[in-house]
Amino acid sequence: MGQSTYQSVVLAKRPTSLIVPGETFTMKEHEIVKAEDLKDGEVLVDTLYLSVDPAMRGWLNDTRSYVPPLKIGETMRGAVIAKVVVSKSSKFSAGDYVTCYTGWREQAVAKEKDLMPLEVPANGQLTDALGALGTTGLTAYFGIINIGKVKAGDFVVVSGAAGATGSVVCQIAKLKGAKVLGLVGSDDKVEWLKELGCDRALNYKDPNFPTQFKEATKDLIDVFFDNVGGEILELALSRAKAHSRFVMCGSISQYNSANPTGPKNISMIIVMRIRMEGFIVYDYANEFPAARKELAQWLSEGNLQRKETIIKGGLGAAEKALLALYEGLNTGKLLVEVKAVNASAGLRL
Ligand SMILES: NC(=O)c1ccc[n+]([C@@H]2O[C@H](COP(=O)([O-])OP(=O)(O)OC[C@H]3O[C@@H](n4cnc5c(N)ncnc54)[C@H](OP(=O)(O)O)[C@@H]3O)[C@@H](O)[C@H]2O)c1
């Protein structure tokens, strides 16, 4: 007999700092959708992988942001890789792989207009659609090119440099002829950044980091790509060159804080005439196809390397995976495997 229900993860209680496993989210059961329940233009998909993103913590707060807060009882939103199992669409067939924003659920009904066909380029793999060729790869691309306006000879400093976004930023900056310093939270990550071609990488957890950072930035910073905010942003401001560009991509160090803090030396923006600019990748949605094509080209030529950290254990592992992101467990893109496509390496939390 086939399965009669599937599960989703819904918001149960808004956290005040870190999410609390077993309290912030709860599992909800749903009846399996039958083929005859689908309307024209709809498909039924099985979720294979969830994208786990730092911004998810912000969606749980009842505050004004670039998307409305998740409601209590609502299924956790997020990008996924899924497989079409039943189709009433002329554009998709059973067996097709797609990406969509159906969130933390094992199955979903989606409209064809909300699905993106998944193409695996030469040298690529299915999961790149959520990493190097997905939102984080695109964030790196538009952040460093459009906001950072990186050019040959620039000295670029990247925080969160071994993450999904940061690792792609470092490599694009190198492709554009910049000198790159990456900031990361472990010695293993320092080594990986060197393999990626970074000129230098520093572990910000080293007790001597402030001194090392000062020495490593003696030529002063042209472009700072910030994924973490907090004390690292303050240090970067103290080493900014006149007319430098600060790409404000994220501030993960503050996402779980009940009392977020900002840099004390914000007046450096004035005295060094810094252009500090935030952005949300979806502002560039019309340009995604062209950017994805260029990223895929770099990937197929071997000019773009990537890693991913896959958490196994199905939907139930998603909340712990989200917590692990703030502990720096991942190198490269963090994903949760909901349903195995084939035997892939992964971690159990
Ligand atoms: N603006 C946009 O449109 C946009 C889109 C996507 C992502 N983002 C932002 O980009 C940043 C990176 O996102 P991602 O998806 O690529 O995640 P990620 O970098 O793959 O993962 C997060 C990494 O952040 C580091 N980290 C965690 N807590 C930290 C802390 N307190 N201080 C310093 N580093 C810390 C950890 O690495 P370490 O081991 O090195 O600490 C962790 O691996 C996030 O801030 C995210 O919000 C922005």
Side-chain angles (χ1 to χ4, degrees):
M1 220 174 75
Q3 218 182 319
S4 62
T5 59
Y6 74 90
Q7 296 200 302
S8 75
V9 176
V10 302
L11 176 63
K13 191 176 175 198
R14 294 192 193 284
T16 47
S17 60
L18 287 170
I19 63 164
V20 184
E23 180 184 295
T24 305
F25 297 107
T26 187
M27 291 286 216
K28 191 173 168 186
E29 290 227 325
H30 307 261
E31 271 191 37
I32 290 273
V33 179
K34 297 185 204 74
E36 56 266 31
D37 297 334
L38 291 180
K39 299 190 188 81
D40 283 343
E42 286 184 341
V43 301
L44 179 66
V45 296
D46 267 354
T47 306
L48 306 177
Y49 294 97
L50 306 178
S51 172
V52 185
D53 300 281
M56 287 175 158
R57 175 62 190 83
W59 304 340
L60 311 180
N61 295 335
D62 194 8
T63 49
R64 198 169 69 87
S65 187
Y66 66 101
V67 284
L70 201 75
K71 297 190 188 91
I72 300 288
E74 197 177 339
T75 297
M76 183 61 180
R77 61 170 80 108
V80 310
I81 291 173
K83 189 175 186 176
V84 176
V85 282
V86 183
S87 176
K88 280 193 91 179
S89 153
S90 56
K91 296 188 177 137
F92 296 91
S93 310
D96 285 353
Y97 292 106
V98 293
T99 50
C100 44
Y101 285 86
T102 42
W104 290 12
R105 52 173 75 239
E106 290 168 321
Q107 283 212 332
V109 174
K111 293 187 173 58
E112 61 185 17
K113 71 171 177 53
D114 298 327
L115 299 177
M116 210 174 64
L118 200 159
E119 288 157 31
V120 179
N123 223 359
Q125 57 200 22
L126 199 63
T127 44
D128 287 330
L130 294 179
L133 304 179
T135 304
T136 50
L138 293 164
T139 301
Y141 185 98
F142 291 106
I144 192 65
I145 294 174
N146 292 46
I147 311 285
K149 302 199 187 306
V150 65
K151 57 180 189 329
D154 278 342
F155 177 37
V156 177
V157 179
V158 183
S159 63
T165 305
S167 58
V168 177
V169 172
C170 291
Q171 294 176 85
I172 296 177
K174 285 305 302 174
L175 284 166
K176 299 288 176 188
K179 185 178 157 199
V180 178
L181 166 67
L183 309 178
V184 292
S186 77
D187 292 344
D188 286 348
K189 292 183 183 185
V190 165
E191 288 311 309
W192 186 52
L193 284 198
K194 288 182 189 158
E195 285 169 31
L196 293 185
C198 282
D199 298 275
R200 197 160 172 191
L202 294 175
N203 179 352
Y204 69 84
K205 291 181 182 164
D206 188 301
N208 294 322
F209 171 68
T211 313
Q212 293 166 352
F213 183 77
K214 196 169 176 190
E215 181 271 319
T217 55
K218 59 182 180 307
D219 295 335
L220 303 179
I221 303 168
D222 292 296
V223 180
F224 181 58
F225 192 106
D226 195 18
N227 286 313
V228 314
E231 288 170 20
I232 290 180
L233 173 57
E234 186 168 308
L235 269 180
L237 278 168
S238 75
R239 308 298 288 161
K241 202 181 268 183
H243 301 289
S244 51
R245 292 89 77 196
F246 272 50
V247 183
M248 304 311 290
C249 177
S251 57
I252 193 169
S253 71
Q254 306 300 307
Y255 292 171
N256 292 296
S257 170
N259 297 302
T261 53
K264 289 191 283 294
N265 55 352
I266 202 92
S267 60
M268 284 297 283
I269 298 172
I270 306 163
V271 295
M272 287 300 142
R273 288 84 90 204
I274 298 167
R275 179 169 60 79
M276 183 182 260
E277 185 173 350
F279 74 105
I280 295 292
V281 65
Y282 300 112
D283 298 345
Y284 295 93
N286 292 339
E287 297 171 53
F288 281 1
R292 204 175 268 122
K293 202 170 158 198
E294 192 161 17
L295 287 162
Q297 173 85 18
W298 287 330
L299 195 67
S300 63
E301 291 166 349
N303 286 324
L304 183 61
Q305 320 272 326
R306 77 288 191 228
K307 269 193 184 174
E308 53 191 24
T309 304
I310 298 181
I311 306 293
K312 299 213 174 202
L315 211 55
E319 58 180 6
K320 284 196 188 150
L322 183 53
L323 265 179
L325 196 59
Y326 306 110
E327 289 159 6
L329 174 102
N330 62 306
T331 301
K333 178 68 195 163
L334 186 68
L335 301 167
V336 169
E337 184 184 86
V338 177
K339 196 169 180 179
V341 183
N342 44 37
S344 59
L347 299 172
R348 280 186 185 274
L349 294 178

Short mmCIF file of all heavy atoms in Angstrom, two decimals, residues 298-322:
data_model
loop_
_atom_site.label_atom_id
_atom_site.label_comp_id
_atom_site.label_asym_id
_atom_site.label_seq_id
_atom_site.Cartn_x
_atom_site.Cartn_y
_atom_site.Cartn_z
N TRP A 298 31.84 29.18 -16.28
CA TRP A 298 33.02 29.10 -15.41
C TRP A 298 33.12 27.71 -14.76
O TRP A 298 34.20 27.16 -14.64
CB TRP A 298 32.95 30.17 -14.31
CG TRP A 298 33.19 31.57 -14.79
CD1 TRP A 298 33.98 31.94 -15.86
CD2 TRP A 298 32.65 32.78 -14.25
NE1 TRP A 298 33.96 33.31 -16.00
CE2 TRP A 298 33.16 33.85 -15.04
CE3 TRP A 298 31.80 33.09 -13.20
CZ2 TRP A 298 32.85 35.19 -14.78
CZ3 TRP A 298 31.49 34.42 -12.94
CH2 TRP A 298 32.00 35.45 -13.72
N LEU A 299 31.97 27.19 -14.39
CA LEU A 299 31.93 25.86 -13.75
C LEU A 299 32.43 24.80 -14.73
O LEU A 299 33.26 23.96 -14.40
CB LEU A 299 30.49 25.57 -13.31
CG LEU A 299 30.24 24.44 -12.34
CD1 LEU A 299 30.83 24.77 -10.98
CD2 LEU A 299 28.73 24.22 -12.17
N SER A 300 31.92 24.87 -15.98
CA SER A 300 32.29 23.84 -16.95
C SER A 300 33.75 23.96 -17.36
O SER A 300 34.39 22.97 -17.69
CB SER A 300 31.36 23.88 -18.16
OG SER A 300 31.51 25.10 -18.82
N GLU A 301 34.30 25.18 -17.30
CA GLU A 301 35.72 25.37 -17.66
C GLU A 301 36.66 25.04 -16.50
O GLU A 301 37.87 25.11 -16.65
CB GLU A 301 35.96 26.84 -18.05
CG GLU A 301 35.30 27.24 -19.35
CD GLU A 301 35.26 28.76 -19.54
OE1 GLU A 301 35.55 29.51 -18.59
OE2 GLU A 301 34.89 29.19 -20.64
N GLY A 302 36.07 24.76 -15.33
CA GLY A 302 36.92 24.48 -14.16
C GLY A 302 37.42 25.73 -13.47
O GLY A 302 38.30 25.69 -12.61
N ASN A 303 36.84 26.90 -13.82
CA ASN A 303 37.26 28.16 -13.19
C ASN A 303 36.46 28.48 -11.93
O ASN A 303 36.73 29.49 -11.26
CB ASN A 303 37.11 29.32 -14.18
CG ASN A 303 38.18 29.27 -15.24
OD1 ASN A 303 39.31 28.90 -14.94
ND2 ASN A 303 37.82 29.61 -16.46
N LEU A 304 35.45 27.69 -11.67
CA LEU A 304 34.63 27.91 -10.47
C LEU A 304 34.51 26.58 -9.73
O LEU A 304 33.97 25.61 -10.27
CB LEU A 304 33.24 28.42 -10.89
CG LEU A 304 32.25 28.77 -9.79
CD1 LEU A 304 32.80 29.89 -8.91
CD2 LEU A 304 30.91 29.19 -10.38
N GLN A 305 35.09 26.55 -8.53
CA GLN A 305 35.01 25.34 -7.69
C GLN A 305 33.92 25.55 -6.66
O GLN A 305 33.63 26.68 -6.29
CB GLN A 305 36.31 25.13 -6.91
CG GLN A 305 37.59 25.42 -7.64
CD GLN A 305 38.07 24.22 -8.39
OE1 GLN A 305 37.90 23.11 -7.94
NE2 GLN A 305 38.64 24.45 -9.55
N ARG A 306 33.35 24.49 -6.16
CA ARG A 306 32.38 24.64 -5.07
C ARG A 306 32.37 23.38 -4.23
O ARG A 306 32.76 22.29 -4.67
CB ARG A 306 30.97 25.00 -5.56
CG ARG A 306 30.18 23.86 -6.16
CD ARG A 306 30.73 23.48 -7.47
NE ARG A 306 29.91 22.59 -8.23
CZ ARG A 306 30.39 21.50 -8.81
NH1 ARG A 306 31.64 21.12 -8.67
NH2 ARG A 306 29.60 20.76 -9.54
N LYS A 307 31.93 23.58 -2.97
CA LYS A 307 31.74 22.46 -2.07
C LYS A 307 30.32 22.55 -1.58
O LYS A 307 29.69 23.62 -1.62
CB LYS A 307 32.67 22.58 -0.86
CG LYS A 307 34.01 21.90 -1.05
CD LYS A 307 34.76 21.77 0.24
CE LYS A 307 36.13 21.17 -0.04
NZ LYS A 307 37.00 21.13 1.10
N GLU A 308 29.82 21.45 -1.06
CA GLU A 308 28.51 21.51 -0.41
C GLU A 308 28.56 20.62 0.82
O GLU A 308 29.35 19.67 0.89
CB GLU A 308 27.40 21.09 -1.37
CG GLU A 308 27.63 19.77 -2.01
CD GLU A 308 26.66 19.50 -3.16
OE1 GLU A 308 26.12 20.45 -3.75
OE2 GLU A 308 26.43 18.32 -3.45
N THR A 309 27.75 20.96 1.80
CA THR A 309 27.62 20.16 3.01
C THR A 309 26.17 19.69 3.02
O THR A 309 25.25 20.51 3.07
CB THR A 309 27.94 21.00 4.26
OG1 THR A 309 29.25 21.56 4.10
CG2 THR A 309 27.88 20.18 5.53
N ILE A 310 26.00 18.36 2.92
CA ILE A 310 24.63 17.82 2.83
C ILE A 310 24.27 17.13 4.15
O ILE A 310 24.99 16.24 4.60
CB ILE A 310 24.50 16.84 1.65
CG1 ILE A 310 24.78 17.59 0.34
CG2 ILE A 310 23.11 16.20 1.63
CD1 ILE A 310 24.66 16.75 -0.91
N ILE A 311 23.19 17.60 4.75
CA ILE A 311 22.72 17.00 6.00
C ILE A 311 21.65 15.97 5.64
O ILE A 311 20.68 16.29 4.94
CB ILE A 311 22.10 18.07 6.94
CG1 ILE A 311 23.08 19.23 7.19
CG2 ILE A 311 21.61 17.44 8.23
CD1 ILE A 311 24.31 18.86 7.98
N LYS A 312 21.85 14.75 6.14
CA LYS A 312 20.88 13.69 5.88
C LYS A 312 19.89 13.62 7.04
O LYS A 312 20.11 14.24 8.08
CB LYS A 312 21.60 12.36 5.74
CG LYS A 312 22.58 12.37 4.56
CD LYS A 312 22.66 11.03 3.94
CE LYS A 312 23.52 11.07 2.70
NZ LYS A 312 23.22 9.97 1.80
N GLY A 313 18.85 12.87 6.87
CA GLY A 313 17.90 12.68 7.98
C GLY A 313 16.52 13.24 7.66
O GLY A 313 15.66 13.27 8.53
N GLY A 314 16.33 13.67 6.42
CA GLY A 314 15.00 14.10 6.01
C GLY A 314 14.59 15.43 6.61
O GLY A 314 15.39 16.15 7.21
N LEU A 315 13.30 15.71 6.45
CA LEU A 315 12.74 16.99 6.88
C LEU A 315 13.01 17.28 8.36
O LEU A 315 13.22 18.43 8.76
CB LEU A 315 11.23 16.90 6.64
CG LEU A 315 10.46 18.14 6.29
CD1 LEU A 315 11.05 18.82 5.07
CD2 LEU A 315 9.00 17.78 6.04
N GLY A 316 13.03 16.22 9.16
CA GLY A 316 13.24 16.37 10.61
C GLY A 316 14.61 16.95 10.95
O GLY A 316 14.81 17.45 12.06
N ALA A 317 15.56 16.88 10.01
CA ALA A 317 16.92 17.39 10.28
C ALA A 317 17.04 18.87 9.95
O ALA A 317 18.07 19.49 10.23
CB ALA A 317 17.93 16.59 9.47
N ALA A 318 15.98 19.46 9.36
CA ALA A 318 16.12 20.82 8.83
C ALA A 318 16.38 21.86 9.92
O ALA A 318 17.21 22.75 9.75
CB ALA A 318 14.88 21.18 8.03
N GLU A 319 15.70 21.76 11.06
CA GLU A 319 15.88 22.80 12.09
C GLU A 319 17.29 22.75 12.67
O GLU A 319 17.91 23.78 12.91
CB GLU A 319 14.82 22.70 13.20
CG GLU A 319 14.80 21.36 13.90
CD GLU A 319 13.75 21.28 15.01
OE1 GLU A 319 12.96 22.21 15.19
OE2 GLU A 319 13.76 20.24 15.71
N LYS A 320 17.84 21.53 12.85
CA LYS A 320 19.21 21.43 13.37
C LYS A 320 20.21 21.92 12.31
O LYS A 320 21.25 22.49 12.63
CB LYS A 320 19.53 19.99 13.77
CG LYS A 320 18.89 19.62 15.10
CD LYS A 320 19.53 18.36 15.64
CE LYS A 320 18.76 17.87 16.85
NZ LYS A 320 18.82 16.42 17.00
N ALA A 321 19.88 21.67 11.06
CA ALA A 321 20.75 22.15 9.98
C ALA A 321 20.80 23.68 9.98
O ALA A 321 21.86 24.27 9.82
CB ALA A 321 20.24 21.64 8.64
N LEU A 322 19.65 24.30 10.20
CA LEU A 322 19.62 25.77 10.23
C LEU A 322 20.50 26.29 11.37
O LEU A 322 21.27 27.24 11.20
CB LEU A 322 18.17 26.26 10.36
CG LEU A 322 17.94 27.77 10.34
CD1 LEU A 322 18.57 28.43 9.12
CD2 LEU A 322 16.44 28.09 10.38
#
